[in-house]
């Protein structure tokens, strides 16, 4: 477990470096492989098709953005919590649970049953819904909405002018 | 030494900068935010709308809100409008209506209720300046089509922006009910205007900057005029932390932080504070000195009082494609473009404490898909849905029906329980105390709001709606902000005189929504601009006469 998480962190750092070198796609925030698997599975349950649209990549990159700096730790903690609830309910990784089991875990968290005084897990889940929708329906420049899958689903096309490369229009960068 | 320093570059600061520089004054405009270029105004919901492109994050620049009945303050976007050159006029949707003549005499018309007050001037005094905004900034509309508009001296310089073919159905529905829909007046060029291009109908107005410069605002019309004189410098990324006063108690300049965080001072013969109502009050309250120990121009204790937002109610309806084959529901034109002012006054006093209503603006919901999806996820009953149910809701929304919504603007009644102070603990990223907003929405808002929402739904039902969706009733918009430095004739009950000059500091002017004794029942950007033109004319004449030298 410890070894996997160390490797995961290395992978996170490596992808961050790759992101910086390539400029586009931008850097991601460090989450380990286990958290990434949970993130992919949870976002897919929140919006079916999210995995195909690479919403998890969007979320990782969004968390690297200064705007979300205060959300990084709660997201890591929330993903670990989904994993812990899945382990306690089903003795399995969240990502390995079947869809109804995953839904049960998410509903448990959404209902506030996993809230603690120092970690409002239900709020984490609300933020995860928001990030999932951003990743599904935002401009592909930001890492999600692969092949404009989300926009095609709703028949939406924002038209020109589109965002520039490397987020040059973004004053936070 | 400048002739005039203007703090803020939006609806208040823009007209002042243009008129004063053209009158020969040396003008310095200090703007807290960056100077965005039109090339940055991309169609990217994430970068522009969801990452505070036009505003600071609440972590960097908090407003603290204390609601009625609560003793704790929460971080809130209430009262923030913009931080950029051009201010809120850059990202506004630009629905611009004149106030009604009775909006200037609410106390006279409705008597004593809460803190209602008359304005120190009349509609007739502002009318020439409304017309100047129409012609010098560029407003599109049809004169005479708003049945409750006061007399106007000139028509609009441009016809209304084009409207969706469904607007004919709205017109017919209103006819059947007996009210008169009229084309929204917009701060958008419907024809090429001066050097600017006309609207390209891309549907990225509200919350976005206009990439073709068709929006008529401070950035596209007024600041360029000011700069063209060679006598006006606009400095972005400059956060003013205090207005300085000399030994005689006159304003002598400002202290500000430049883009590198260095503290600078600049002297001026007059100082104009145009930061929007909450922030202007905050700047005065932060400007303490021996002579003004409670904040500048606040020895009478009036600064920050009578803060008003605007009351806001909403509703919408679904029109199913399958039931309306006769209507061009799928036509992609972005503007429905219809407003109704027939309910600006309520039929009697049984509906709400005073018989004042508002304006109903009908339109299509904002096209932003993330915003739409989050709204659908939250639904109307509070519980957030996700999974296949959410996906189906989104599919239906985009493929099975078209939504027409309306927003009602109505009066936020000024009261003694809604005001601005400095927060005792919370500071912003500059180390300055945050504004603390105390909010209490009077009964009028909820009761008038409910009745007005029902009228809006009635129009949509008459237009053939399949399903009516009641919305919010009697809330407050956070970005239309008024009061805090009330203008009036009596210095014991007001901060400013009718030319927005501080009673206590003769060369200090507060020129944004702060002066407004009452909010009116329409969005107020046009009024703030018109008043700024009026104040600018007055200041220019005073300089010419040798005052302030």
């Amino acid at each position: 477990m410890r070894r996997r998480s160390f490797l995961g962190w290395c992978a996170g750092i490596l992808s961050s470096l790759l992101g910086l070198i390539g400029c586009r796609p931008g850097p991601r925030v460090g989450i380990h492989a286990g958290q990434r698997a949970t993130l992919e599975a949870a976002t897919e349950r929140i919006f079916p098709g999210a995995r195909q649209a690479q919403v998890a990549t969007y979320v990782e990159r969004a968390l690297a953005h200064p705007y979300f700096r205060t959300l990084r730790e709660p997201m890591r903690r929330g993903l670990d919590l989904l994993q812990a609830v899945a382990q306690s309910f089903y003795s399995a990784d969240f990502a390995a649970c079947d869809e109804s089991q995953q839904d049960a875990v998410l509903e448990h968290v959404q209902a506030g049953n996993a809230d603690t005084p120092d970690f409002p897990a239900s709020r984490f889940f609300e933020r995860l819904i928001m990030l999932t929708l951003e990743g599904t329906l935002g401009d592909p420049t930001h890492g999600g909405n692969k092949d404009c899958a989300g926009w095609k689903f709703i028949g939406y096309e924002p038209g020109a002018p589109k965002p520039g490369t490397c987020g040059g229009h973004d004053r936070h960068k | 030494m400048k002739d005039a320093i203007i703090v803020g570059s939006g609806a208040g600061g823009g007209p002042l900068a243009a008129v004063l520089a053209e009158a020969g004054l040396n003008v310095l405009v200090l703007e807290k935010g960056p100077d965005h270029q039109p090339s940055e105004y991309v169609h990217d919901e994430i970068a522009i709308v969801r990452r505070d492109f036009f505003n600071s994050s609440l972590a960097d620049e908090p407003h603290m809100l204390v609601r009625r009945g609560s003793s704790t303050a929460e971080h809130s976007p209430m009262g923030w409008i913009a931080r950029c050159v051009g201010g809120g006029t850059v990202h506004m949707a630009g629905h611009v209506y004149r106030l009604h003549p009775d909006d200037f005499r609410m106390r006279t018309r409705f008597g004593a209720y809460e803190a209602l007050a008359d304005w120190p001037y009349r509609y007739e005094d502002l009318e020439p300046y409304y017309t100047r905004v129409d012609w010098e900034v560029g407003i599109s509309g049809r004169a005479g089509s708003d049945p409750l508009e006061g007399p106007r001296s000139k028509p609009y310089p441009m016809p209304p922006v084009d409207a969706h073919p469904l607007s004919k159905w709205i017109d017919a529905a209103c006819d059947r009910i007996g009210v008169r829909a009229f084309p929204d007046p917009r701060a958008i060029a419907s024809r090429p205007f001066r050097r600017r291009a006309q609207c390209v109908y891309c549907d990225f107005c509200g919350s976005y900057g206009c990439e073709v410069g068709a929006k008529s605002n401070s950035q596209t019309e007024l600041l360029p005029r000011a700069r063209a004189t060679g006598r006006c410098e606009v400095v972005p990324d400059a956060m003013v932390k205090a207005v300085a006063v000399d030994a005689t108690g006159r304003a002598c300049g400002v202290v500000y932080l430049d883009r590198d965080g260095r503290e600078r001072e600049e002297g001026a013969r007059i100082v104009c504070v145009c930061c929007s109502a909450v922030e202007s009050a905050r700047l005065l309250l932060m400007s303490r000195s021996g002579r003004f120990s409670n904040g500048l121009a606040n020895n009478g204790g009036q600064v920050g009082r009578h803060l008003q937002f605007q009351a806001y109610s909403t509703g919408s309806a679904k029109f199913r494609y399958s039931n309306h084959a006769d209507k061009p529901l799928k036509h992609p034109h972005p503007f429905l473009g219809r407003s109704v002012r027939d309910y600006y006054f309520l039929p009697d006093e049984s509906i709400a404490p005073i018989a004042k209503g508002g304006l109903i603006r009908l339109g299509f919901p904002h096209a932003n898909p993330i915003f739409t999806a989050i709204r659908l996820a939250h639904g109307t009953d509070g519980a957030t849905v996700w999974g296949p149910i959410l996906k189906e809701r989104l599919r239906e929304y985009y493929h099975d029906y078209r939504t027409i919504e309306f927003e009602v603007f109505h009066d936020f009644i000024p009261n003694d329980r809604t005001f601005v102070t400095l927060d005792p603990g919370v500071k912003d990223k500059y180390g300055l105390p945050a504004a603390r907003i105390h909010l209490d929405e009077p009964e009028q808002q909820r009761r008038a709001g409910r009745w007005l929402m029902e009228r809006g739904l009635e129009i949509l039902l008459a237009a053939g709606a399949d399903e009516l969706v009641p919305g919010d009733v009697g809330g407050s918009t956070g970005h239309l902000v008024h009061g805090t430095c009330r203008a009036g004739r009596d210095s014991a009950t007001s901060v400013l005189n009718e030319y927005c000059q501080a009673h206590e500091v003769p060369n200090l002017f507060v020129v944004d929504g702060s002066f407004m004794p009452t909010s009116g029942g329409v969005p107020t950007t046009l009024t703030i601009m018109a008043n700024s033109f009026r104040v600018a004319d007055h200041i220019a004449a005073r300089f010419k006469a040798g005052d302030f030298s």
Side-chain angles (χ1 to χ4, degrees):
Chain A
M1 185 66 189
R2 178 173 284 178
R3 183 165 174 273
R4 191 178 74 174
S5 105
F6 173 74
L7 288 175
W9 276 110
C10 289
I13 290 162
L14 186 62
S15 66
S16 298
L17 287 174
L18 284 172
L20 286 170
I21 293 160
C23 187
R24 183 185 183 186
R28 300 177 185 182
V29 75
I31 61 172
H32 61 62
Q35 290 168 331
R36 166 85 189 196
T38 305
L39 179 62
E40 284 184 17
T43 53
E44 176 67 19
R45 291 315 301 152
I46 289 169
F47 198 89
R51 193 189 299 273
Q52 192 73 24
Q54 296 191 350
V55 167
T57 300
Y58 166 77
V59 174
E60 280 189 74
R61 229 183 273 170
L63 292 175
H65 194 282
Y67 182 80
F68 283 125
R69 60 187 182 276
T70 58
L71 194 56
R72 287 171 198 159
E73 206 42 52
M75 287 304 292
R76 290 191 191 111
R77 202 164 160 183
L79 293 171
D80 288 344
L81 180 76
L82 295 182
Q83 171 74 351
V85 174
Q87 283 291 349
S88 91
F89 281 15
Y90 307 112
S91 306
D93 287 350
F94 179 87
C97 289
D98 67 29
E99 290 179 352
S100 63
Q101 291 171 329
Q102 288 173 346
D103 285 357
V105 171
L106 296 176
E107 280 159 12
H108 177 80
V109 170
Q110 181 180 28
N113 297 329
D115 284 4
T116 59
D118 70 323
F119 186 66
S122 52
R123 263 184 67 191
F124 146 78
F125 186 64
E126 293 290 324
R127 304 303 290 271
L128 188 60
I129 292 174
M130 179 199 76
L131 287 167
T132 302
L133 294 173
E134 288 189 357
T136 305
L137 297 165
D139 194 281
T141 325
H142 301 282
N145 194 8
K146 187 171 189 299
D147 302 326
C148 300
W151 288 350
K152 283 176 188 160
F153 173 68
I154 60 173
Y156 175 78
E157 167 52 54
K162 301 216 184 267
T165 53
C166 300
H169 54 280
D170 185 339
R171 69 180 174 80
H172 288 283
K173 288 182 179 171
Chain B
M1 169 77 92
K2 301 286 182 185
D3 290 321
I5 288 177
I6 299 169
V7 187
S9 61
L16 276 181
V19 173
L20 296 184
E22 287 177 351
L25 277 66
N26 284 308
V27 176
L28 174 65
V29 178
L30 297 173
E31 165 57 51
K32 178 181 75 167
D35 192 4
H36 293 306
Q37 300 307 303
S39 59
E40 296 175 78
Y41 299 149
V42 290
H43 292 181
D44 181 347
E45 184 180 3
I46 286 180
I48 304 293
V49 183
R50 306 196 62 81
R51 298 285 184 277
D52 290 334
F53 183 82
F54 286 115
N55 254 313
S56 272
S57 75
L58 292 179
D60 287 341
E61 296 189 65
H63 274 172
M64 304 307 294
L65 179 70
V66 183
R67 293 180 185 277
R68 171 188 194 161
S70 169
S71 56
T72 55
E74 57 187 279
H75 283 69
S76 170
M78 294 289 285
W80 280 124
I81 303 173
R83 60 168 347 256
C84 60
V85 171
T89 69
V90 176
H91 66 66
M92 67 179 177
H95 297 95
V96 285
Y97 311 84
R98 295 181 176 198
L99 292 178
H100 185 277
D102 281 358
D103 284 319
F104 296 74
R105 46 182 191 232
M106 289 286 286
R107 177 70 171 76
T108 298
R109 170 150 182 180
F110 294 106
Y113 174 62
E114 294 283 5
L116 281 187
D118 289 347
W119 288 36
Y121 62 76
R122 302 161 305 156
Y123 172 82
E124 292 73 17
D125 300 312
L126 194 59
E127 198 288 328
Y129 298 97
Y130 274 136
T131 297
R132 278 184 70 179
V133 179
D134 290 349
W135 286 81
E136 294 184 31
V137 184
I139 308 299
S140 300
R142 185 179 301 137
S145 63
D146 172 356
L148 269 80
E149 191 177 72
R152 57 161 56 236
S153 54
K154 246 174 137 175
Y156 289 102
M158 292 174 279
V161 293
D162 292 342
H164 192 284
L166 267 182
S167 58
K168 291 195 189 76
W169 269 265
I170 298 296
D171 292 344
C174 287
D175 277 351
R176 284 196 290 281
I177 295 172
V179 297
R180 296 150 290 183
F182 64 94
D184 303 341
R186 300 290 296 269
I188 291 175
S190 63
R191 299 284 182 273
F193 185 78
R194 286 138 93 98
R195 299 154 289 100
R196 291 192 289 120
Q198 71 180 60
C199 178
V200 295
Y201 299 96
C202 71
D203 202 13
F204 283 76
C205 302
S207 304
Y208 290 85
C210 179
E211 71 272 14
V212 300
K215 258 195 230 178
S216 304
N217 62 32
S218 186
Q219 188 189 33
T220 56
E221 284 293 345
L222 297 166
L223 298 175
R225 261 173 69 180
R227 286 178 171 126
T229 63
R231 285 184 294 272
C232 176
E233 187 188 0
V234 181
V235 178
D237 307 302
M239 175 65 185
V240 175
K241 52 187 287 192
V243 178
V245 291
D246 64 18
T248 68
R250 291 172 69 90
C252 58
V254 300
V255 181
Y256 71 98
L257 301 168
D258 69 12
R259 73 174 65 205
D260 301 315
R262 279 188 303 247
E263 192 166 299
R264 293 176 179 271
E265 290 175 30
E266 187 69 49
R269 296 181 207 285
I270 66 164
V271 175
C272 304
V273 175
C274 313
C275 314
S276 75
V278 170
E279 289 297 294
S280 286
R282 176 186 174 220
L283 179 55
L284 297 190
L285 293 171
M286 289 193 299
S287 302
R288 293 187 180 177
S289 58
R291 201 175 267 263
F292 296 102
S293 57
N294 294 318
L296 188 57
N298 193 34
N299 287 344
Q302 294 294 313
V303 172
R305 294 188 66 192
H306 305 125
L307 167 69
Q308 302 143 63
F309 296 95
Q310 195 144 45
Y312 188 71
S313 302
T314 61
S316 65
K318 297 177 183 177
F319 294 75
R320 296 200 172 274
Y321 296 127
S322 55
N323 293 345
H324 294 279
D326 59 322
K327 295 190 182 71
L329 278 179
K330 289 190 173 172
H331 193 289
H333 195 289
F335 303 145
L336 186 59
R338 286 296 182 269
S339 299
V340 172
R341 212 200 294 229
D342 291 80
Y343 303 116
Y344 207 65
F345 299 100
L346 306 178
D348 59 68
E349 265 122 42
S350 66
I351 295 163
I354 63 169
K356 182 71 195 292
L359 177 135
I360 300 175
R361 187 189 75 75
L362 298 125
F364 300 117
H366 204 298
N368 278 342
I370 298 167
F371 165 80
T372 302
I374 289 174
R375 197 159 68 162
L376 290 171
H378 288 152
T380 49
D381 54 358
T384 311
V385 302
W386 46 275
I389 303 172
L390 173 58
K391 192 166 183 177
E392 174 58 15
R393 269 194 199 175
L394 200 62
R395 191 203 60 73
E396 276 189 317
Y397 180 90
Y398 281 96
H399 298 290
D400 289 357
Y401 62 87
R402 179 119 202 199
T403 300
I404 297 179
E405 67 176 12
F406 61 86
E407 49 185 2
V408 190
F409 298 93
H410 47 120
D411 289 60
F412 186 111
I413 303 293
N415 63 80
D416 292 332
R417 307 168 307 279
T418 301
F419 55 96
V420 178
T421 57
L422 297 180
D423 195 273
V426 177
K427 293 196 167 23
D428 68 8
K429 68 174 178 181
Y430 305 101
L432 303 170
R436 175 179 277 227
I437 296 167
H438 302 259
L439 175 67
D440 189 345
E441 294 151 339
E443 177 69 5
Q444 171 77 12
Q445 231 168 288
R446 193 181 54 74
R447 284 170 57 188
R450 173 154 304 282
W451 188 85
L452 290 161
M453 185 192 71
E454 287 165 2
R455 300 290 77 72
L457 294 174
E458 198 170 66
I459 293 170
L460 295 178
L461 188 64
D466 297 304
E467 186 185 330
L468 300 176
V469 185
D472 299 329
V473 166
S476 298
T477 57
H479 58 280
L480 297 169
V481 204
H482 323 95
T484 74
C485 297
R486 177 176 267 189
R489 296 192 189 284
D490 182 357
S491 61
T493 57
S494 59
V495 177
L496 308 172
N497 71 12
E498 71 159 308
Y499 293 108
C500 294
Q501 176 186 16
H503 294 304
E504 298 177 15
V505 187
N507 63 339
L508 173 72
F509 295 80
V510 183
V511 194
D512 48 25
S514 304
F515 79 98
M516 292 172 65
T518 50
S519 73
V522 291
T524 40
T525 311
L526 186 79
T527 299
I528 291 169
M529 287 182 137
N531 177 70
S532 178
F533 271 104
R534 182 172 186 268
V535 170
D537 265 8
H538 171 79
I539 293 173
R542 296 269 306 272
F543 261 89
K544 204 168 177 183
D547 291 0
F548 307 120
S549 55

